PDB file of all heavy atoms in Angstrom:
ATOM      1  N   GLY A 439      -0.362 -25.550  -7.698  1.00  0.00           N
ATOM      2  CA  GLY A 439       0.843 -26.097  -8.213  1.00  0.00           C
ATOM      3  C   GLY A 439       1.850 -25.161  -8.725  1.00  0.00           C
ATOM      4  O   GLY A 439       3.006 -25.367  -9.079  1.00  0.00           O
ATOM      5  N   MET A 440       1.370 -23.816  -9.008  1.00  0.00           N
ATOM      6  CA  MET A 440       2.310 -22.799  -9.533  1.00  0.00           C
ATOM      7  C   MET A 440       2.798 -21.886  -8.466  1.00  0.00           C
ATOM      8  O   MET A 440       2.163 -21.694  -7.443  1.00  0.00           O
ATOM      9  CB  MET A 440       1.464 -22.056 -10.496  1.00  0.00           C
ATOM     10  CG  MET A 440       0.794 -22.742 -11.629  1.00  0.00           C
ATOM     11  SD  MET A 440       1.965 -23.135 -13.031  1.00  0.00           S
ATOM     12  CE  MET A 440       1.905 -21.484 -13.884  1.00  0.00           C
ATOM     13  N   ILE A 441       3.964 -21.353  -8.698  1.00  0.00           N
ATOM     14  CA  ILE A 441       4.426 -20.336  -7.787  1.00  0.00           C
ATOM     15  C   ILE A 441       4.938 -19.008  -8.526  1.00  0.00           C
ATOM     16  O   ILE A 441       4.917 -19.103  -9.824  1.00  0.00           O
ATOM     17  CB  ILE A 441       5.767 -20.851  -6.978  1.00  0.00           C
ATOM     18  CG1 ILE A 441       6.712 -21.446  -7.950  1.00  0.00           C
ATOM     19  CG2 ILE A 441       5.349 -21.914  -5.928  1.00  0.00           C
ATOM     20  CD1 ILE A 441       7.994 -22.030  -7.228  1.00  0.00           C
ATOM     21  N   THR A 442       5.160 -18.015  -7.917  1.00  0.00           N
ATOM     22  CA  THR A 442       5.318 -16.607  -8.442  1.00  0.00           C
ATOM     23  C   THR A 442       6.608 -16.105  -8.115  1.00  0.00           C
ATOM     24  O   THR A 442       7.001 -16.037  -6.901  1.00  0.00           O
ATOM     25  CB  THR A 442       4.196 -15.725  -8.028  1.00  0.00           C
ATOM     26  OG1 THR A 442       2.973 -16.291  -8.540  1.00  0.00           O
ATOM     27  CG2 THR A 442       4.320 -14.276  -8.721  1.00  0.00           C
ATOM     28  N   GLY A 443       7.329 -15.668  -9.014  1.00  0.00           N
ATOM     29  CA  GLY A 443       8.747 -15.010  -8.797  1.00  0.00           C
ATOM     30  C   GLY A 443       8.860 -13.720  -9.429  1.00  0.00           C
ATOM     31  O   GLY A 443       8.164 -13.404 -10.336  1.00  0.00           O
ATOM     32  N   ARG A 444       9.823 -12.950  -8.809  1.00  0.00           N
ATOM     33  CA  ARG A 444      10.026 -11.631  -9.325  1.00  0.00           C
ATOM     34  C   ARG A 444      11.400 -11.644 -10.040  1.00  0.00           C
ATOM     35  O   ARG A 444      12.408 -12.197  -9.575  1.00  0.00           O
ATOM     36  CB  ARG A 444      10.100 -10.560  -8.263  1.00  0.00           C
ATOM     37  CG  ARG A 444      10.139  -9.188  -8.771  1.00  0.00           C
ATOM     38  CD  ARG A 444      10.163  -8.163  -7.600  1.00  0.00           C
ATOM     39  NE  ARG A 444       8.888  -8.267  -6.813  1.00  0.00           N
ATOM     40  CZ  ARG A 444       7.825  -7.516  -7.099  1.00  0.00           C
ATOM     41  NH1 ARG A 444       7.804  -6.685  -8.037  1.00  0.00           N
ATOM     42  NH2 ARG A 444       6.711  -7.678  -6.326  1.00  0.00           N
ATOM     43  N   LEU A 445      11.417 -11.140 -11.303  1.00  0.00           N
ATOM     44  CA  LEU A 445      12.665 -11.119 -12.077  1.00  0.00           C
ATOM     45  C   LEU A 445      13.475  -9.873 -11.718  1.00  0.00           C
ATOM     46  O   LEU A 445      12.863  -8.951 -11.049  1.00  0.00           O
ATOM     47  CB  LEU A 445      12.244 -11.070 -13.640  1.00  0.00           C
ATOM     48  CG  LEU A 445      11.515 -12.203 -14.208  1.00  0.00           C
ATOM     49  CD1 LEU A 445      10.993 -11.914 -15.577  1.00  0.00           C
ATOM     50  CD2 LEU A 445      12.423 -13.580 -14.113  1.00  0.00           C
ATOM     51  N   SER A 446      14.651  -9.875 -12.169  1.00  0.00           N
ATOM     52  CA  SER A 446      15.516  -8.696 -11.752  1.00  0.00           C
ATOM     53  C   SER A 446      14.857  -7.385 -12.350  1.00  0.00           C
ATOM     54  O   SER A 446      14.816  -6.328 -11.658  1.00  0.00           O
ATOM     55  CB  SER A 446      16.904  -8.896 -12.406  1.00  0.00           C
ATOM     56  OG  SER A 446      17.637  -7.781 -12.232  1.00  0.00           O
ATOM     57  N   ASN A 447      14.215  -7.512 -13.410  1.00  0.00           N
ATOM     58  CA  ASN A 447      13.610  -6.255 -14.028  1.00  0.00           C
ATOM     59  C   ASN A 447      12.228  -5.861 -13.465  1.00  0.00           C
ATOM     60  O   ASN A 447      11.585  -5.013 -13.919  1.00  0.00           O
ATOM     61  CB  ASN A 447      13.544  -6.401 -15.562  1.00  0.00           C
ATOM     62  CG  ASN A 447      12.441  -7.521 -16.017  1.00  0.00           C
ATOM     63  OD1 ASN A 447      11.746  -7.951 -15.222  1.00  0.00           O
ATOM     64  ND2 ASN A 447      12.534  -7.899 -17.299  1.00  0.00           N
ATOM     65  N   ASN A 448      11.923  -6.507 -12.361  1.00  0.00           N
ATOM     66  CA  ASN A 448      10.721  -6.235 -11.598  1.00  0.00           C
ATOM     67  C   ASN A 448       9.348  -6.894 -12.102  1.00  0.00           C
ATOM     68  O   ASN A 448       8.290  -6.726 -11.470  1.00  0.00           O
ATOM     69  CB  ASN A 448      10.553  -4.726 -11.341  1.00  0.00           C
ATOM     70  CG  ASN A 448       9.832  -4.473 -10.087  1.00  0.00           C
ATOM     71  OD1 ASN A 448      10.055  -5.228  -9.074  1.00  0.00           O
ATOM     72  ND2 ASN A 448       8.970  -3.472  -9.995  1.00  0.00           N
ATOM     73  N   LEU A 449       9.503  -7.583 -13.340  1.00  0.00           N
ATOM     74  CA  LEU A 449       8.274  -8.280 -13.717  1.00  0.00           C
ATOM     75  C   LEU A 449       8.155  -9.621 -13.014  1.00  0.00           C
ATOM     76  O   LEU A 449       9.131 -10.123 -12.468  1.00  0.00           O
ATOM     77  CB  LEU A 449       8.355  -8.506 -15.284  1.00  0.00           C
ATOM     78  CG  LEU A 449       8.209  -7.270 -16.213  1.00  0.00           C
ATOM     79  CD1 LEU A 449       8.393  -7.792 -17.654  1.00  0.00           C
ATOM     80  CD2 LEU A 449       6.892  -6.731 -16.039  1.00  0.00           C
ATOM     81  N   MET A 450       6.891 -10.066 -13.066  1.00  0.00           N
ATOM     82  CA  MET A 450       6.613 -11.368 -12.336  1.00  0.00           C
ATOM     83  C   MET A 450       6.640 -12.530 -13.356  1.00  0.00           C
ATOM     84  O   MET A 450       6.267 -12.310 -14.485  1.00  0.00           O
ATOM     85  CB  MET A 450       5.331 -11.333 -11.664  1.00  0.00           C
ATOM     86  CG  MET A 450       5.162 -10.232 -10.759  1.00  0.00           C
ATOM     87  SD  MET A 450       6.318 -10.073  -9.452  1.00  0.00           S
ATOM     88  CE  MET A 450       5.906 -11.442  -8.353  1.00  0.00           C
ATOM     89  N   VAL A 451       7.060 -13.683 -12.825  1.00  0.00           N
ATOM     90  CA  VAL A 451       6.937 -14.848 -13.744  1.00  0.00           C
ATOM     91  C   VAL A 451       6.263 -16.040 -12.950  1.00  0.00           C
ATOM     92  O   VAL A 451       6.508 -16.198 -11.714  1.00  0.00           O
ATOM     93  CB  VAL A 451       8.351 -15.394 -14.128  1.00  0.00           C
ATOM     94  CG1 VAL A 451       9.349 -15.512 -13.039  1.00  0.00           C
ATOM     95  CG2 VAL A 451       8.231 -16.679 -15.065  1.00  0.00           C
ATOM     96  N   HIS A 452       5.250 -16.672 -13.548  1.00  0.00           N
ATOM     97  CA  HIS A 452       4.544 -17.683 -12.877  1.00  0.00           C
ATOM     98  C   HIS A 452       5.063 -19.046 -13.418  1.00  0.00           C
ATOM     99  O   HIS A 452       5.266 -19.263 -14.677  1.00  0.00           O
ATOM    100  CB  HIS A 452       2.993 -17.633 -13.112  1.00  0.00           C
ATOM    101  CG  HIS A 452       2.478 -16.311 -12.655  1.00  0.00           C
ATOM    102  ND1 HIS A 452       1.995 -16.130 -11.368  1.00  0.00           N
ATOM    103  CD2 HIS A 452       2.395 -15.171 -13.253  1.00  0.00           C
ATOM    104  CE1 HIS A 452       1.569 -14.907 -11.201  1.00  0.00           C
ATOM    105  NE2 HIS A 452       1.764 -14.278 -12.378  1.00  0.00           N
ATOM    106  N   PHE A 453       5.340 -20.022 -12.682  1.00  0.00           N
ATOM    107  CA  PHE A 453       5.834 -21.380 -13.082  1.00  0.00           C
ATOM    108  C   PHE A 453       5.559 -22.424 -12.088  1.00  0.00           C
ATOM    109  O   PHE A 453       5.266 -22.194 -10.888  1.00  0.00           O
ATOM    110  CB  PHE A 453       7.314 -21.209 -13.364  1.00  0.00           C
ATOM    111  CG  PHE A 453       8.142 -20.776 -12.208  1.00  0.00           C
ATOM    112  CD1 PHE A 453       8.866 -21.599 -11.327  1.00  0.00           C
ATOM    113  CD2 PHE A 453       8.204 -19.351 -12.013  1.00  0.00           C
ATOM    114  CE1 PHE A 453       9.569 -21.134 -10.273  1.00  0.00           C
ATOM    115  CE2 PHE A 453       9.019 -18.869 -10.920  1.00  0.00           C
ATOM    116  CZ  PHE A 453       9.621 -19.710 -10.092  1.00  0.00           C
ATOM    117  N   GLU A 454       5.619 -23.690 -12.574  1.00  0.00           N
ATOM    118  CA  GLU A 454       5.337 -24.850 -11.710  1.00  0.00           C
ATOM    119  C   GLU A 454       6.500 -24.962 -10.705  1.00  0.00           C
ATOM    120  O   GLU A 454       7.570 -24.855 -11.088  1.00  0.00           O
ATOM    121  CB  GLU A 454       5.121 -26.107 -12.595  1.00  0.00           C
ATOM    122  CG  GLU A 454       3.874 -26.799 -12.627  1.00  0.00           C
ATOM    123  CD  GLU A 454       3.840 -27.916 -13.588  1.00  0.00           C
ATOM    124  OE1 GLU A 454       4.471 -28.838 -13.331  1.00  0.00           O
ATOM    125  OE2 GLU A 454       3.158 -27.761 -14.543  1.00  0.00           O
TER     126      GLU A 454
END
Side-chain angles (χ1 to χ4, degrees):
M440 303 276 279
I441 51 180
T442 299
R444 191 179 295 273
L445 300 168
S446 172
N447 68 10
N448 212 34
L449 284 179
M450 306 305 289
V451 55
H452 302 268
F453 52 99
E454 245 176 66

